[in-house]
Amino acid sequence: SMWGQEIRVLTPLRSIGALIGTLFFALFWNGIVSVFVLIALAGLYTNLVGPLPAWFPAPNMDHPMPLGMTLFLCVFLLPFITIGASLLAAALLYAAGKIEVRIGDHEALVRTGIAFLAWSRRFDPTQVRRVDVGTTSWETNGRPGRTVVIEADRHVKFGSLLTDERREWMRAILHVLLVQPGSRQ
């Protein structure tokens, strides 16, 4: 290819079914967690500031939690809040996310995300040995997820949120562009 040019391969992560399912579960999860977050906030406010304002949406606490128990609750809730935020992020990806692979002469990258909120992984396109479908390190319903794997100067895995058809399309296109000799001239 000519200097300063690059090849871009794009595939959307959009999926109405996955969006609806993920959004439903995210709203359900975060709805339950929000009750406990409000209790923790009420405990912090009561211990550090004073009596709760009448408008604050928390159960009436005649005997507020001690500060130590409130701090424990805050720390205890962190993984549950993280899961809720991850579910909302997955729903956003299913609504408007995309995977973009940019291939230049001496540098390539894989970007997964929405607009400027994307996660990038770089690799050397001149050192690609294989492009294949691999498995994730986690399981869903007792089976590992599927990813596209680029074996180059490092292993780059991506595309676990893609449908099987889009993942296979991405693998096939990248195999032609990165592995087959003379495909990028």
Side-chain angles (χ1 to χ4, degrees):
S1 74
M2 296 178 64
W3 181 83
Q5 293 184 341
E6 65 182 10
I7 297 171
R8 290 183 176 192
V9 181
L10 295 164
T11 188
L13 292 171
R14 284 188 305 269
S15 170
I16 296 299
L19 169 63
I20 291 170
T22 305
L23 193 57
F24 174 78
F25 190 64
L27 293 174
F28 178 77
W29 180 273
N30 287 317
I32 292 171
V33 170
S34 69
V35 172
F36 294 99
V37 168
L38 284 173
I39 291 170
L41 290 173
L44 285 173
Y45 189 92
T46 311
N47 280 293
L48 301 175
V49 177
L52 282 175
W55 55 263
F56 192 82
N60 186 11
M61 301 201 306
D62 294 330
H63 303 287
M65 278 190 290
L67 183 59
M69 183 178 276
T70 303
L71 293 175
F72 172 77
L73 180 60
C74 290
V75 172
F76 180 79
L77 286 173
L78 287 176
F80 297 97
I81 293 168
T82 303
I83 291 169
S86 298
L87 287 167
L88 288 174
L92 282 173
L93 284 173
Y94 284 131
K98 67 180 178 183
I99 294 177
E100 177 181 18
V101 180
R102 295 180 186 176
I103 305 167
D105 286 333
H106 301 291
E107 184 177 66
L109 66 87
V110 176
R111 289 176 46 89
T112 304
I114 302 168
F116 65 90
L117 296 173
W119 177 41
S120 297
R121 283 118 343 176
R122 297 185 185 283
F123 65 94
D124 185 346
T126 64
Q127 294 186 25
V128 174
R129 294 178 299 283
R130 276 180 44 186
V131 178
D132 209 350
V133 173
T135 58
T136 61
S137 56
W138 65 89
E139 293 184 353
T140 304
N141 298 328
R143 295 191 324 225
R146 314 278 289 158
T147 65
V148 176
V149 180
I150 298 174
E151 294 179 16
D153 54 325
R154 64 181 58 151
H155 280 47
V156 178
K157 290 185 173 187
F158 64 96
S160 62
L161 296 178
L162 289 171
T163 63
D164 289 340
E165 294 81 21
R166 289 178 185 166
R167 186 178 308 107
E168 180 53 33
W169 177 85
M170 179 67 82
R171 186 214 57 80
I173 293 293
L174 293 177
H175 177 78
V176 168
L177 292 173
L178 295 168
V179 178
Q180 292 182 348
S183 61
R184 286 189 290 142
Q185 271 115 30

